[in-house]
C-alpha cells in the first residue's frame, strides 16, 4: 500500500488543513466539496494559510508554490478514483459519513485506504458502510492541522496490519506524530479532554469560580497553554455539544453528559469564535 495520491473530503476547518499538510509534504492532493462555490472558498482559505506560513518564515515561497501546484479542488466524487488514500473530514454526522463513504467505495480503486477524521463516532460504524472495512482506519487530526503535531491512528477489529502500517507511514510522511488508539468513541484525546471541558462548565454553573478565574487557574496552575473556556470557544460550543452527546450515547456515563448551560449557549447561537461570541466576546474578521 504505497501512498502517493491523497484525496480529502471536505474543505472546511479540518479538511483544508489536512489537504494543506498533504500537499506541503509532497503528495498530489485532491480535495472535494459539495459545490464549486464552497470549493473556491475552501481553497481561498487554504491559500491564505500557505501565505501566512510564508510571512511567518515557516515556509519559503518556492515551497508554497510547489504545494499549491499539487492541490486540486473538485466537486465530482469520481475525481478521487485514483487516490491511494482518502481522508474524510465532513460534518460530524453518522448518516452523512456512511452515505458519502458508500458512494466513494463505488468509485475509488479497490486497493485504496479509507480514513475518517471523526472526533467522536466509532470508525467501525462508518467503515461498515463500505466493502473494505479491512482497509479503513481513523486518522484523527487536531486543529489547526498545519500546526498541531499529533494524529491519532485508530485501528478497528477489522483493520488489516497492512492498512495500519500504511496509515502510520503516511502520518509520518505528513510530518506528524502518530499514536495508536482502539476504536472507542473519543479515542485517547477526547476521552480525556471532553469530560474535563464539560466539568469546567459545571464548575462555573455551580459558582465555584468565574470564567476568567477558572481559565487562569488551569493555565497558571497546571501549565496548560489555554484555559478550558478559551479552548471551548476555539473548538466551537456546537462541536463540543455534538461530541458530548455522541459520547454520552456511547458510554451512558454522567461525565460525558453536556451540562444545561452548554446546550443553552448553543441554542442561543453563542458558538465561540466562529459566531463572534461564546464564553468570551470575539471580534469577527
Ligand atoms: P466544517 O463544518 O468546518 O467542515 C465540514 C465541510 O464538509 C463543510 O465545508 C461541508 O461543505 C463539507 N461537506 C459536507 N458534506 C460533504 C461531502 N459529502 N463531501 C465533501 N464535503 C462535504 O467541520 P470541521 O470542523 O472541519 O469538522 C470536520 C470533521 O472533522 C468532523 O467529523 C469533526 O468531528 C472532525 N474534527 C474536528 C475538529 C475541530 O477542532 N473542529 C478536530 C478534529 C476532528
Amino acid at each position: 500500500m504505497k501512498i502517493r495520491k491523497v484525496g480529502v473530503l471536505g474543505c472546511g476547518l479540518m479538511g483544508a488543513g489536512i489537504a494543506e499538510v498533504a500537499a506541503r509534504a509532497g503528495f498530489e492532493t485532491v480535495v472535494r466539496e459539495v459545490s464549486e462555490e464552497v470549493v473556491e472558498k475552501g481553497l481561498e482559505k487554504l491559500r491564505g494559510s500557505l501565505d501566512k506560513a510564508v510571512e511567518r518564515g515557516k515556509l519559503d515561497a518556492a515551497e508554497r508554490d510547489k504545494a499549491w501546484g499539487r492541490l486540486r479542488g473538485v466537486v465530482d466524487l469520481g475525481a478521487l478514483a485514483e487516490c491511494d488514500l482518502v481522508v474524510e473530514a465532513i460534518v460530524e454526522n453518522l448518516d452523512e459519513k456512511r452515505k458519502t463513504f458508500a458512494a466513494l467505495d463505488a468509485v475509488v480503486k479497490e486497493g485504496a485506504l479509507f480514513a475518517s477524521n471523526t472526533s467522536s463516532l466509532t470508525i467501525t460504524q462508518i467503515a461498515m458502510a463500505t466493502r473494505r472495512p479491512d482497509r479503513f482506519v481513523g486518522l484523527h487530526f487536531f486543529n489547526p492541522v498545519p500546526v498541531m503535531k499529533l494524529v491519532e491512528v485508530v485501528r478497528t477489529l477489522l483493520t488489516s496490519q497492512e492498512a495500519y502500517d500504511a496509515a502510520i507511514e503516511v502520518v509520518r510522511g505528513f510530518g506528524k506524530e502518530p499514536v495508536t488508539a482502539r476504536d472507542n468513541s473519543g479515542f485517547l484525546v477526547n476521552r480525556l479532554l471532553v469530560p474535563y471541558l464539560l466539568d469546567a462548565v459545571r464548575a462555573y454553573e455551580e459558582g465555584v469560580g468565574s470564567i476568567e478565574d477558572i481559565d487562569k487557574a488551569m493555565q497558571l496552575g497546571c501549565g496548560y497553554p489555554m484555559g478550558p473556556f478559551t479552548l471551548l470557544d476555539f473548538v466551537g460550543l456546537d462541536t463540543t455539544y455534538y461530541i458530548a452527546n455522541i459520547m454520552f450515547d456511547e458510554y451512558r456515563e454522567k461525565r460525558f453528559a453536556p451540562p444545561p448551560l452548554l446546550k443553552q449557549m448553543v441554542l442561543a447561537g453563542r458558538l465561540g469564535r466562529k459566531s463572534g461570541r461564546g464564553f468570551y466576546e470575539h471580534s469577527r474578521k
Side-chain angles (χ1 to χ4, degrees):
M1 259 187 193
K2 190 73 198 150
I3 292 163
R4 292 189 184 86
K5 186 168 176 179
V6 175
V8 180
L9 288 176
C11 197
L13 191 64
M14 297 303 289
I18 296 166
E20 178 182 338
V21 161
R24 279 172 69 168
F27 295 88
E28 194 189 330
T29 307
V30 188
V31 57
R32 190 254 178 171
E33 258 294 350
V34 289
S35 70
E36 291 292 348
E37 200 189 332
V38 189
V39 177
E40 284 308 314
K41 241 176 67 188
L43 286 178
E44 214 174 279
K45 216 170 43 188
L46 200 162
R47 175 69 199 204
S49 169
L50 284 171
D51 290 344
K52 212 181 283 167
V54 173
E55 273 165 38
R56 290 185 179 155
K58 306 261 184 223
L59 185 71
D60 65 52
E63 284 301 317
R64 173 202 52 203
D65 295 344
K66 274 196 217 156
W68 187 244
R70 293 184 198 110
L71 275 160
R72 194 153 65 94
V74 300
V75 174
D76 174 23
L77 211 54
L80 279 78
E82 292 306 315
C83 288
D84 305 299
L85 164 70
V86 180
V87 185
E88 166 272 317
I90 70 168
V91 282
E92 188 73 341
N93 176 291
L94 180 60
D95 287 344
E96 280 301 317
K97 288 191 194 285
R98 282 181 58 95
K99 229 172 37 198
T100 304
F101 269 114
L104 199 67
D105 196 30
V107 297
V108 177
K109 66 179 181 189
E110 217 172 277
L113 180 65
F114 282 177
S116 174
N117 182 50
T118 179
S119 303
S120 50
L121 298 164
T122 62
I123 300 302
T124 307
Q125 58 190 334
I126 306 170
M128 293 311 284
T130 73
R131 291 161 304 165
R132 61 181 94 192
D134 56 323
R135 276 157 285 143
F136 207 118
V137 292
L139 286 183
H140 188 224
F141 292 79
F142 292 81
N143 178 32
V145 183
V147 177
M148 300 299 277
K149 275 282 175 211
L150 185 71
V151 178
E152 292 179 297
V153 177
V154 184
R155 94 193 274 189
T156 74
L157 294 176
L158 300 175
T159 306
S160 70
Q161 185 65 37
E162 196 193 3
Y164 169 74
D165 291 344
I168 294 283
E169 194 185 321
V170 78
V171 166
R172 295 214 170 102
F174 286 165
K176 302 291 183 195
E177 277 299 320
V179 290
T180 302
R182 260 204 350 221
D183 189 24
N184 285 3
S185 175
F187 316 130
L188 302 176
V189 171
N190 281 333
R191 191 182 168 102
L192 297 175
L193 179 65
V194 170
Y196 158 71
L197 293 176
L198 301 178
D199 217 25
V201 178
R202 279 190 264 274
Y204 172 65
E205 276 181 325
E206 288 162 16
V208 176
S210 68
I211 287 169
E212 290 79 6
D213 278 355
I214 294 172
D215 267 3
K216 193 168 162 186
M218 297 313 291
Q219 237 189 316
L220 302 186
C222 295
Y224 285 17
M226 60 179 88
F229 292 101
T230 306
L231 183 56
L232 277 160
D233 274 10
F234 189 65
V235 172
L237 304 194
D238 50 347
T239 304
T240 309
Y241 181 65
Y242 299 145
I243 293 174
N245 275 313
I246 291 170
M247 293 184 77
F248 182 70
D249 274 350
E250 180 80 8
Y251 297 113
R252 299 278 158 190
E253 287 176 27
K254 203 175 150 208
R255 63 199 171 113
F256 297 109
L261 177 60
L262 184 66
K263 181 176 180 180
Q264 283 161 30
M265 295 203 39
V266 172
L267 289 174
R270 291 190 181 169
L271 309 181
R273 298 181 86 91
K274 64 172 95 168
S275 72
R277 184 162 178 188
F279 286 103
Y280 294 99
E281 294 272 0
H282 305 275
S283 57
R284 265 198 274 186
K285 286 204 190 105

